[in-house]
Amino acid sequence: MKSKKQLILSNFAVFFACMLLILGPARAQSDRNGDRRVTSSYFISNATVIPTAGKIHRNYDIVFKDGIITQIGKNLTVPKDSKEIKGESLFVYPGFIDLGNQLGVQPPELPDRPSDFDTSNPIPELAGIHPQFSSADHYKFSESDENEMRKLGFTIAQKIPVGNGMLPGTTTIVIYGHEKNNNLLKEDKSLYFQFNTVGGVYPHTKLAVMAKWRDLFQNAVLYQEHTAIYEKNKLVKRVTTDPVLEALIPVTQNQKTLLVAGRNELDVRRALKMQEDNNFKLILLGVNEGPELIPILKSKQVGVILKLALTDDNFLEGLEGEEQGKDYEERLKKGQEAYLESLRLASKYEKEGIPFAFTSLDLDKKDFFSNLKLMVSNGLSKDVALAALTSNPAKLLGIESISGSIAPGKMANMVIMTDSLFSKDGKVSMVVSDGYLFDYTEENSPEKPGNQVWTYAAETPVGQSKGSWEFFKKNEQWNGTVSYDSPKGTGIKKTKMENLELKDDSLSFSFKVETEEAVLDVTVTGTINENKFEGSMDISGYNQFTVQATKKEKPNNNHE
């Protein structure tokens, strides 16, 4: 004999299978946080799509399946079983690419110093010379850290090895996808170099670092030549394996780029001198000064990665009274000019036609969008700023065939925003990374007085179901939307309210829900007492259900 609960489930099986999805179950059935894909096919409809810098398509659709973009265009047919993302009023950009950060990268374990340690001739690892180390071996995906970058729109990053000396190791390209996936796109991409020393051992100065580099480079060339000779003639003395020199060979043969930290103008000049002495492919990471070097960099076709972290504006407000000191006005003027010069640096690269990318090293994440807009307001064009986040880094990394723009055949990496990237009110609403959808709508909602969000819960025979209502004014008239999980299994949907009447003490509205078999008419009525609502939800052809809601002040991003 069936229990009472079993009878209820039997009688209402089809209905509640739909309604639990419609009203939003306690555990969401769709992937709004990148946890899993409920379907391998997704459909973004009627969005403003910026597939690459300089192009804009309005009312475009995008289809992506199994993490790959399959179609882009107008009036596309919605694939069967696809999850639809309503794109009206949304802007879709290619996923941003960060050409340098160290989030999740740990320093390598180094051997202990021996008792007879010679500081003038230390083993390479203790001198900070371990180019054979890969950042992939010391990188651990941290959802909390990577999610902070993903919230900003970044979907791919180059991970920089951590180390104190001149050659910490090689870089790794990762994607900010699902934390349980293999998110490594490419290991050993570039060899990282920095003008750093390890205290108390040789090389102990920056000049010594440059001298050591020349020795290593030349020895790597000789090592390769000797190895090649040995392969042809086994009578020649066999070369003793040297992992340091082996790691340098691809750089000496221009098969791998040397990524040099250009933390200041002097370091940039040193790197250029190194390239002049020993021909190799050079990319400068973290450039934030030295505009007079731009013509030289252009003539040498050096890759440039500028810092998103800008110089502090400490000089703009000035000092008061006794704090000013001698020659205050002159120092203030120089400080102000230096700050403004840093804001104009990107525009100067653009003026000279030098493509560049960005790194988030030293960036306070809350400053990302404001710093980007500061560069634009100081001469950088919006198209070039977007290219520096998308197509330019893809080319520098050699992954332009799979990323950097929105096109069929490329990875499904996209930033979905409530407004244009450089507008005042533009916020990241969602990010698609490796085909996974991450929803940041609520987190990035700006406060907008007058708009209302109500979270509701309806009591059904199989438990409590939840959802949200949003109200906003247009032309002095209240409008509203209802958010719910689609009964078709295509994710959270938002539909317009009809016959809406919102008063201080009462609320009523209706809306329609499409299921696989029918269109359901739903009517909500009830009373309001301050920020509480109590009433009923009437689904045509079915019973009434008690519904309660709580009001909180939040805006509706889709109606800015």
Side-chain angles (χ1 to χ4, degrees), residues 253 312 337:
Q253 296 180 337
D312 292 335
E337 183 57 35

Side-chain angles (χ1 to χ4, degrees), residues 73-173:
K74 279 192 173 184
N75 303 316
L76 299 181
T77 301
V78 181
K80 185 179 180 181
D81 298 327
S82 67
K83 173 181 177 179
E84 184 175 3
I85 302 170
K86 294 287 188 179
E88 292 92 344
S89 79
L90 297 178
F91 291 69
V92 185
Y93 294 88
F96 303 154
I97 302 174
D98 180 1
L99 273 199
N101 74 53
Q102 294 178 320
L103 290 173
V105 183
Q106 303 300 318
E109 291 186 12
L110 300 177
D112 295 329
R113 291 189 177 189
S115 57
D116 59 347
F117 183 69
D118 183 359
T119 59
S120 65
N121 187 29
I123 61 173
E125 287 85 353
L126 295 180
I129 301 172
H130 34 79
Q132 71 275 23
F133 290 0
S134 172
S135 57
D137 295 330
H138 302 94
Y139 167 69
K140 183 177 181 180
F141 186 96
S142 169
E143 177 60 25
S144 59
D145 288 337
E146 313 299 20
N147 189 51
E148 290 301 309
M149 298 304 297
R150 197 192 299 119
K151 284 181 185 179
L152 301 177
F154 289 100
T155 57
I156 292 176
Q158 179 173 219
K159 295 296 178 178
I160 309 299
V162 174
N164 294 325
M166 59 185 280
L167 286 167
T170 57
T171 66
T172 300
I173 306 174

